[in-house]
Amino acid sequence: MQTTTPDTPLNLAVLLGSNREGRFAPVVADWFLAHARAHADFTVDLVDVADADLPTALSHAPGPAVRAALAEVGPRLAAADAFVVVTPEYNHSYPASLKALVDWHFAEWRAKPVGFVSYGGVSGGLRAVEHLRQVFAELHAVTVRDTVSFHNAGALFDADGTLRDPSGPDAAAKKVLDQLAWWAGTLRAARTARPYAA
């Protein structure tokens, strides 16, 4: 068991939630990761659903390839004190690959905070976020109120992946990270003092 103190950095897992061919997700994730890695409270781990490659068909007896994928990603999720989900919006919701990653795990999410960075067209991915809030509530996770949302995301970044006008998104990212740090520290201390019973 890992021993933590109030001064131990919080582990933040950033979930890159799209595996679509030609995905825009890495552009948004790279921007957010720069903010997360600069935040004094966190160490950061990027979990990419494209690398996890978990099937949407759940099983109580998965085959060797799925067991290997779970053995790689599960401990990383379990070690996290907080999560940020970077998600697009597909057909008014979030990608099946992201749902598969979530559904293959349970205890890893419990009593931990989740923040969101979304992107899309006019809605900026916010409908995907609202659906994800319901899913994480069922898994006994706590979602933070504020989000980072990119409306018409493709037009907001230049060809090098740099935001054309970073002031609003930069402030939003700081707010999400600060809220996550508060919740993550509080819930880690609570889990240490009294294990959470789901």
Side-chain angles (χ1 to χ4, degrees):
M1 173 183 283
Q2 183 180 8
T3 303
T4 61
T5 69
D7 296 326
T8 303
L10 298 161
N11 296 317
L12 175 65
V14 176
L15 312 181
L16 202 163
S18 170
N19 64 354
R20 176 180 276 184
E21 184 178 348
R23 61 188 179 161
F24 192 69
V27 174
V28 178
D30 286 347
W31 169 84
F32 182 76
L33 286 165
H35 288 273
R37 289 173 176 145
H39 198 283
D41 291 320
F42 293 115
T43 60
V44 181
D45 181 23
L46 175 65
V47 178
D48 189 339
V49 297
D51 296 334
D53 197 26
L54 292 168
T56 56
L58 302 179
S59 170
H60 292 294
V66 176
R67 288 199 306 272
L70 292 170
E72 197 280 327
V73 74
R76 294 166 65 190
L77 300 179
D81 296 300
F83 304 96
V84 167
V85 179
V86 178
T87 183
E89 182 177 312
Y90 295 166
N91 300 321
H92 284 219
S93 194
Y94 54 92
S97 55
L98 177 56
K99 187 64 159 64
L101 176 69
V102 172
D103 286 349
W104 275 104
H105 301 89
F106 179 69
E108 291 84 355
W109 313 115
R110 285 188 303 203
K112 296 178 183 179
V114 183
F116 301 100
V117 176
S118 66
Y119 64 95
V122 174
S123 74
L126 292 175
R127 290 174 292 210
V129 170
E130 290 309 306
H131 289 178
L132 283 163
R133 289 186 189 280
Q134 297 175 58
V135 172
F136 280 109
E138 177 64 18
L139 295 168
H140 299 260
V142 177
T143 60
V144 299
R145 178 194 179 278
D146 290 283
T147 65
V148 182
S149 176
F150 292 104
H151 303 257
N152 298 313
L156 302 179
F157 292 82
D158 67 19
D160 296 322
T162 302
L163 268 175
R164 300 179 192 280
D165 181 5
S167 57
D170 286 357
K174 182 181 186 311
K175 183 175 283 190
V176 167
L177 287 163
D178 288 347
Q179 290 177 3
L180 276 172
W182 187 92
W183 277 105
T186 300
L187 290 174
R188 183 172 72 181
R191 291 193 311 273
T192 299
R194 183 178 180 183
Y196 182 78

